[in-house]
Amino acid sequence: MSTQIEQQETETEADEAESEQAVESPGDQRRAAKRQRQAERDVQREAEEASLDDEETVELKVFRYDPEVEGKQEPRFDDFTVPFHKGMTVLDALIYARDRYDSSLTFRHSCRQAVCGSDALFVNGRQRLGCKTQLSDLDDPIRIEPLPHQEVVKDLVVDMEHFYDQMEAVEPYFDADELPEDSLEEQRQTRENREKVKMSTRCIWCGACMSSCNIAAGDNEYLGPAAINKAYRFAMDEREGENRKQERLRIIEQEHGVWRCQTQFSCTEVCPKDIPLTEHIQELKREAVKNNLKFW
Amino acid sequence: MYEHDVIVVGAGGAGLRAAIAADEEGADVALVTKLHPVRSHTGAAEGGINASLRDGDSWDLHAYDTMKGSDYLGDAPAIDTFAKTAPEEVIQLEHWGMPFSREDDGRVSQRPFGGMSFPRTTYAGAETGHHLLHTMYEQAVKRGIEVYDEWYVTNLAVTDHDDPEDRKCHGCVAYDIKSGKIEGFRATGGVVLATGGLGQAFDHTTNAVANTGDGCAMAYRAGVPMEDMEMIQFHPTTLPSTGVLISEGVRGEGGILYNDDEERFMFEYGYANNDGELASRDVVSRAELTEVNEGRGIEDEYVDLDMRHLGEERILDRLENILHLAEDFEGVDGLDEPMPVKPGQHYAMGGVETDENGETCIEGLYAAGETACVSLHGANRLGGNALPELLVFGARAGYHAAGKDMKTAEIETGPSAKSEDGDVQPPVAPGAVDTGSEDVAADGAAIEPTGVIENAVERERDRVETLLEEDGVNHAEVRADVQETMTQNVNVFREEEGLKTALRDLRRAREAYEDVAVSDPSRTYNTDLIHTIETRNILDVAEAITLGALAREEFRGAHWRAEHQERKDDEWIKHTMLAWNDGTPELYYKPVILEGDEETYEPKERSY
């Protein structure tokens, strides 16, 4: 940390070098060396940037916005030219631009392997995960925006609170009617039933589906594809039992539930985990109808 | 100031399990995480969860395999506790709805894994961690456990006593990423560190960008010793271009490794004549790199992992996720061609020294999961043992912090457990560049909880102000230098000169970090600031790893030394411990406990 004044720093350095008999250089030398190193880096970077002319590059047009920084309060697009290599993803390109050109470029990302669901973005007009979208599959220049229909916090970061609220509204947790008494005995589940819920359990909460859905855009209370899929995951799991299933159907049948879906398939098209969201919603509609007939 | 009985830092598998346990115990518990819980890297775990569930298997076989896998650097009380408790934890997870893969009779499936004498690895396809993480987050939602998501814990609030064992942890300081607010969190029961791994100290890693060793670094600077930090697992099957993990499950199901001459080298060259591809991870990683070094690697870089012979049906049933990963991140169709793989940093066996109850030598401070070193994995972790560790020791830490009456721990912690001074001779002084400004004990004799927390908050506010206001070096340059030297010099094969080079490079990086500054002036979602603070943590853990590696002059488990080609049981059945010592790190040793409940483990040759 650079919280201390330089005088102290130099003294401590010297003390340390003496007491540890280490080959530490005194502060002045160190700083000179550091300046030189920095200069070398600058030269290297200039060389790298100059060589961009010779190699293949891609153009990024990236949405920028920051509510509190002058010049960024009005949304704008910044252009970045990044070197292209085979296998490079949208996320790789963003990281390159951030680390080399502008450290304030802001986006969520973590696992780099399409499982944390942090980096759903609007790339060339479509919801995609940055980490699993190859640059080679996109037309240049590549336009990168935050997910539509969500409030932008900054640059490519959107507010996910509403999405999380909708997920939690469907009571997204396993809640069996009864469990084996023995704490070492598992519930049985057929392979077929596991297969039935398998795709629905793959959801990574990225929000791409919700952002692509016209209905969700117009009806803020609509549960949305991800949350309904979550309800499907439990309603179809034979381990939970009939009582719980009834409760789950009641939740998804509400005014802003499954009946809002107009089967446009946009959610299914953008889902990075290939979950057949629209099918799941339709199946729940059928379950709900069957269920209502039963009590009629 | 926020106040809870128990604060859990990190909301991956260990953090969630700890929070649920504390909640069960009646405590008011909160999770504080720099991500959202479902973004945690537990979700990337693929292979499975080991537990002895069936006839023919038993906890003591699991314990024995784990001790052997650890190359006799695991502590028996930890291993026994683990192996005994794993079955009930796995079934608990099933009762919470985990979508395990199933047998025809509807029971949970188990498959063989490296180093296991029985097929005891339960799994959910090749995305076990994803399901475990989501299942547990769902249960946290069910219980209404409070989550502070996208709050980055930057420091612990620990009292100012000279001896770390007299210190008490009263809470922590966290930075609200969205608003830029810095606030104190008081924990009347305890703080559980569950921040996951430290893979970002390396540049070819299976770890997430978020795995920056935060918990280790914070505990280390607060005075908790780091244990066996040199023990880094390099996973043998990662994709060469990105480090994305290809599960051991592929080999568990029968996948085969080939070199450039299409030889099945694990057998052909005698690396593991019995178990072949299913030898322990360290053995397979060294075999692969030896093949490459001897000119039998493909493109001088990697080997091939072939699963085509398993057939499409079986692959789709059990390993479907692997097909997606190979396709998306390497452009390879695993049904049609072999997948290129090479070793990559994967897991830290070492970490924050804890006992079986997850407690550190500082009262009120706990650690669990990859952040902790209890020590279960010793010198090498077996595949499928990390997820049950999260469950078993996450739960124990949560229970203990919430005040549950637990069995007194057998493992001793803190500098008083020292058996021997260390004798490592680094080429440059390690530790803080300026020891006068160190984080923990710099503000007079604050003992009273709110005072301790307020002081810690003030320090963090100053630190952040300074970082935001000054001009200087971009942290990304420092981080890249650390990652480069670690991957170059502290990798699978380690040589004395390389380790010393790494320490010199790390010293330079520390000095460069003195001039680091954040160029984004915004308080709103300033990831530049977050990454800059993380880089400090990466520096501390990278140096600890390298110091441990230089000290341990033998070849044990994952730790291979060019100059010391054998396991030296007479001298080295002991833990390398590193105390921060307010900025001038001190290395010492602590005995390994081989006396278990049922038997005393006798170190044997580890052959597979």
Side-chain angles (χ1 to χ4, degrees):
Chain A
M1 280 180 302
S2 43
T3 46
Q4 64 280 357
I5 52 171
E6 294 206 337
Q7 191 73 40
Q8 284 175 338
E9 191 182 68
T10 313
E11 279 170 15
T12 318
E13 276 301 312
D15 289 352
E16 229 175 50
E18 251 170 63
S19 60
E20 300 280 338
Q21 292 185 321
V23 287
E24 286 281 14
S25 46
D28 287 346
Q29 275 180 31
R30 179 170 67 74
R31 271 187 291 277
K34 197 187 300 167
R35 276 196 298 276
Q36 192 185 344
R37 201 172 154 81
Q38 184 62 44
E40 281 166 12
R41 276 186 179 136
D42 289 344
V43 170
Q44 193 188 349
R45 184 177 313 155
E46 276 164 28
E48 274 172 25
E49 278 164 22
S51 73
L52 285 183
D53 296 340
D54 308 331
E55 60 185 318
E56 211 178 334
T57 59
V58 290
E59 292 292 321
L60 308 181
K61 289 192 173 303
V62 185
F63 179 92
R64 305 302 300 275
Y65 165 75
D66 189 316
E68 58 170 302
V69 172
E70 216 176 312
K72 279 181 81 180
Q73 285 158 332
E74 281 301 311
R76 62 165 201 248
F77 281 84
D78 281 355
D79 294 345
F80 298 100
T81 305
V82 303
F84 171 80
H85 61 81
K86 187 174 167 286
M88 198 166 175
T89 63
V90 169
L91 178 63
D92 294 333
L94 284 172
I95 291 174
Y96 187 95
R98 180 194 67 200
D99 288 351
R100 303 299 183 105
Y101 304 139
D102 182 353
S103 62
S104 72
L105 179 58
T106 304
F107 46 95
R108 289 191 182 98
H109 64 117
S110 187
C111 75
R112 310 162 296 140
Q113 58 186 82
V115 75
C116 76
S118 304
D119 67 342
L121 300 164
F122 198 56
V123 182
N124 282 0
R126 186 179 191 270
Q127 286 80 3
R128 309 170 198 258
L129 286 187
C131 63
K132 68 171 285 198
T133 302
Q134 294 285 324
L135 294 175
S136 56
D137 291 341
L138 300 169
D139 292 333
D140 201 37
I142 295 161
R143 193 178 161 95
I144 307 174
E145 298 165 78
L147 286 182
H149 305 137
Q150 273 145 297
E151 195 188 326
V152 178
V153 176
K154 175 175 169 178
D155 291 352
L156 302 173
V157 173
V158 294
D159 190 339
M160 296 289 286
E161 281 312 308
H162 178 63
F163 176 82
Y164 296 146
D165 287 347
Q166 300 308 79
M167 293 301 273
E168 297 192 3
V170 298
E171 300 178 6
Y173 40 79
F174 187 81
D175 190 17
D177 291 344
E178 54 184 329
L179 287 170
E181 276 176 24
D182 184 348
S183 65
L184 284 173
E185 188 193 337
E186 68 252 63
Q187 306 163 87
R188 302 295 174 107
Q189 182 181 27
T190 63
R191 292 168 86 111
E192 293 70 30
N193 186 249
R194 195 229 170 215
E195 198 60 31
K196 181 165 185 64
V197 298
K198 184 172 90 178
M199 293 308 287
S200 67
T201 61
R202 291 213 171 137
C203 177
I204 56 173
W205 297 45
C206 70
C209 57
M210 189 81 149
S211 165
S212 77
C213 175
N214 280 331
I215 313 303
D219 173 7
N220 206 37
E221 288 177 65
Y222 176 43
L223 289 172
I228 296 175
N229 174 70
K230 197 75 175 167
Y232 175 97
R233 178 254 172 280
F234 293 113
M236 296 300 170
D237 191 319
E238 66 187 10
R239 292 174 294 171
E240 263 202 343
E242 201 50 38
N243 289 339
R244 199 63 177 96
K245 185 170 179 178
Q246 295 302 327
E247 290 166 32
R248 294 200 180 280
L249 291 176
R250 271 197 291 280
I251 293 170
I252 54 98
E253 252 201 302
Q254 51 154 307
E255 188 186 350
H256 301 279
V258 286
W259 301 108
R260 288 274 158 159
C261 171
Q262 296 178 4
T263 58
Q264 295 172 344
F265 286 91
S266 60
C267 55
T268 304
E269 276 167 31
V270 300
C271 176
K273 302 312 263 187
D274 301 323
I275 303 170
L277 294 159
T278 315
E279 277 177 40
H280 287 169
I281 298 171
Q282 297 316 302
E283 197 175 338
L284 282 176
K285 286 182 184 170
R286 288 195 295 275
E287 285 291 311
V289 171
K290 270 196 292 189
N291 204 41
N292 290 338
L293 288 175
K294 199 163 64 186
F295 288 104
W296 222 17
Chain B
M1 190 182 301
Y2 297 90
E3 187 172 328
H4 296 276
D5 296 337
V6 177
I7 303 274
V8 180
V9 184
L16 287 165
R17 188 65 190 87
I20 293 169
D23 178 77
E24 279 172 6
E25 208 44 39
D28 162 28
V29 56
L31 287 154
V32 186
T33 165
K34 66 180 177 179
L35 307 169
H36 177 278
V38 301
R39 317 285 174 218
S40 307
H41 206 53
T42 298
E46 294 168 11
I49 315 170
N50 298 331
S52 57
L53 298 176
R54 305 291 179 232
D55 290 347
D57 198 7
S58 63
W59 75 263
D60 49 311
L61 287 173
H62 188 188
Y64 177 82
D65 290 342
T66 302
M67 179 60 95
K68 178 183 168 192
S70 83
D71 221 354
Y72 304 93
L73 198 66
D75 285 319
I79 290 176
D80 288 354
T81 303
F82 164 77
K84 281 181 190 170
T85 322
E88 65 195 63
E89 283 290 338
V90 168
I91 298 302
Q92 169 77 84
L93 207 50
E94 200 283 329
H95 288 181
W96 286 340
M98 170 101 173
F100 282 107
S101 294
R102 300 282 167 164
E103 293 300 305
D104 287 337
D105 64 2
R107 297 200 303 173
V108 169
S109 293
Q110 290 182 293
R111 65 182 163 204
F113 243 50
M116 290 286 151
S117 57
F118 190 91
R120 66 169 71 90
T121 308
T122 62
Y123 58 97
E127 47 202 29
T128 312
H130 164 79
H131 294 305
L132 177 143
L133 177 68
H134 282 257
T135 300
M136 284 212 288
Y137 177 60
E138 289 157 11
Q139 291 300 311
V141 170
K142 182 179 178 187
R143 288 160 175 74
I145 291 172
E146 186 154 3
V147 179
Y148 297 84
D149 63 317
E150 300 192 331
W151 278 78
Y152 180 40
V153 173
T154 59
N155 213 348
L156 299 169
V158 170
T159 58
D160 198 14
H161 301 85
D162 285 342
D163 183 346
E165 292 181 35
D166 293 335
R167 292 179 192 164
K168 185 164 166 39
C169 180
H170 290 297
C172 59
V173 184
Y175 177 93
D176 178 8
I177 299 174
K178 205 166 144 187
S179 73
K181 236 178 7 176
I182 296 170
E183 296 290 342
F185 283 75
R186 182 174 176 194
T188 47
V191 172
V192 182
L193 296 170
T195 61
L198 46 73
Q200 287 300 317
F202 295 80
D203 69 9
H204 188 82
T205 175
T206 64
N207 281 198
V209 176
N211 296 139
T212 51
D214 299 331
C216 281
M218 287 190 289
Y220 182 36
R221 294 195 299 261
V224 181
M226 295 293 104
E227 180 171 353
D228 296 331
M229 288 296 278
E230 67 275 18
M231 296 305 178
I232 296 289
Q233 177 164 85
F234 296 88
H235 196 289
T237 56
T238 72
L239 296 176
S241 56
T242 54
V244 166
L245 176 71
I246 297 300
S247 168
E248 183 162 320
V250 175
R251 284 170 291 136
E253 297 291 347
I256 295 174
L257 291 166
Y258 293 106
N259 62 19
D260 199 28
D261 301 330
E262 293 177 36
E263 292 167 314
R264 192 175 179 182
F265 57 86
M266 289 307 297
F267 290 106
E268 296 275 333
Y269 292 90
Y271 298 109
N273 287 323
N274 294 319
D275 293 359
E277 284 82 1
L278 272 182
S280 175
R281 289 176 177 173
D282 56 319
V283 174
V284 182
S285 283
R286 279 192 296 273
E288 290 176 3
L289 276 193
T290 305
E291 289 299 296
V292 170
N293 291 343
E294 293 185 357
R296 295 188 297 271
I298 301 163
E299 293 180 10
D300 284 330
E301 193 193 357
Y302 57 87
V303 297
D304 271 343
L305 175 61
D306 198 344
M307 62 175 182
R308 291 173 294 180
H309 57 286
L310 302 179
E312 186 168 343
E313 191 186 342
R314 184 156 163 204
I315 292 172
L316 284 176
D317 183 36
R318 301 183 183 189
L319 299 165
E320 186 189 337
N321 186 42
I322 300 305
L323 292 177
H324 299 308
L325 293 173
E327 173 70 37
D328 294 338
F329 301 106
E330 202 67 44
V332 167
D333 180 353
L335 290 175
D336 265 353
E337 55 197 320
M339 299 173 285
V341 292
K342 75 174 196 183
Q345 193 281 347
H346 183 54
Y347 188 87
M349 273 75 75
V352 178
E353 183 202 40
T354 69
D355 62 27
E356 311 94 285
N357 296 327
E359 204 174 17
T360 71
C361 68
I362 294 181
E363 190 189 342
L365 184 60
Y366 298 78
E370 190 172 343
T371 304
C373 180
V374 45
S375 151
L376 168 63
H377 309 301
N380 173 64
R381 176 174 71 76
L382 294 178
N385 261 359
L387 296 181
E389 179 193 19
L390 305 176
L391 303 171
V392 170
F393 293 105
R396 294 178 72 87
Y399 286 132
H400 199 281
K404 185 173 180 175
D405 200 10
M406 311 274 285
K407 198 178 132 202
T408 306
E410 286 174 51
I411 294 170
E412 289 179 49
T413 59
S416 63
K418 180 201 291 191
S419 59
E420 210 185 316
D421 286 324
D423 51 2
V424 64
Q425 284 171 343
V428 286
V433 170
D434 174 6
T435 50
S437 76
E438 269 319 303
D439 302 300
V440 178
D443 285 87
I447 303 288
E448 180 268 328
T450 33
V452 173
I453 297 166
E454 280 165 9
N455 284 351
V457 168
E458 276 316 303
R459 273 199 303 276
E460 289 308 286
R461 286 188 179 145
D462 286 347
R463 162 152 89 150
V464 166
E465 283 306 324
T466 310
L467 285 171
L468 287 175
E469 280 167 13
E470 291 187 359
D471 292 331
V473 178
N474 178 356
H475 88 93
E477 295 176 23
V478 180
R479 189 184 289 206
D481 287 345
V482 173
Q483 292 173 336
E484 189 184 319
T485 194
M486 292 299 285
T487 296
Q488 188 68 38
N489 297 306
V490 198
N491 212 313
V492 175
F493 294 124
R494 296 166 173 180
E495 297 175 14
E496 184 173 334
E497 267 320 301
L499 295 171
K500 287 184 171 171
T501 302
L503 284 170
R504 286 188 203 99
D505 290 344
L506 291 172
R507 190 71 198 168
R508 268 196 296 277
R510 270 196 191 282
E511 285 163 1
Y513 190 86
E514 293 289 297
D515 296 337
V516 92
V518 175
S519 54
D520 185 350
S522 181
R523 289 281 177 171
T524 303
Y525 220 95
N526 191 332
T527 52
D528 192 4
L529 174 66
I530 300 304
H531 296 155
T532 301
I533 296 172
E534 287 173 346
T535 295
R536 166 69 204 273
N537 294 338
I538 288 173
L539 273 166
D540 287 339
V541 296
E543 186 183 80
I545 292 165
T546 313
L547 282 170
L550 185 62
R552 187 174 286 278
E553 296 188 333
E554 66 161 347
F555 164 27
R556 183 181 300 273
H559 177 67
W560 184 99
R561 282 285 303 268
E563 306 83 8
H564 306 278
Q565 285 290 295
E566 60 202 17
R567 193 176 82 187
K568 299 173 185 169
D569 286 350
D570 291 344
E571 203 185 337
W572 281 103
I573 298 193
K574 59 190 179 190
H575 299 294
T576 16
M577 310 298 299
L578 198 62
W580 178 245
N581 200 13
D582 295 330
T584 46
E586 185 194 331
L587 191 112
Y588 65 92
Y589 303 110
K590 166 175 117 163
V592 171
I593 306 172
L594 294 177
E595 295 81 31
D597 285 353
E598 303 278 307
E599 59 170 324
T600 292
Y601 297 94
E602 284 293 328
K604 291 184 187 137
E605 193 195 346
R606 196 164 143 262
S607 65
Y608 288 102

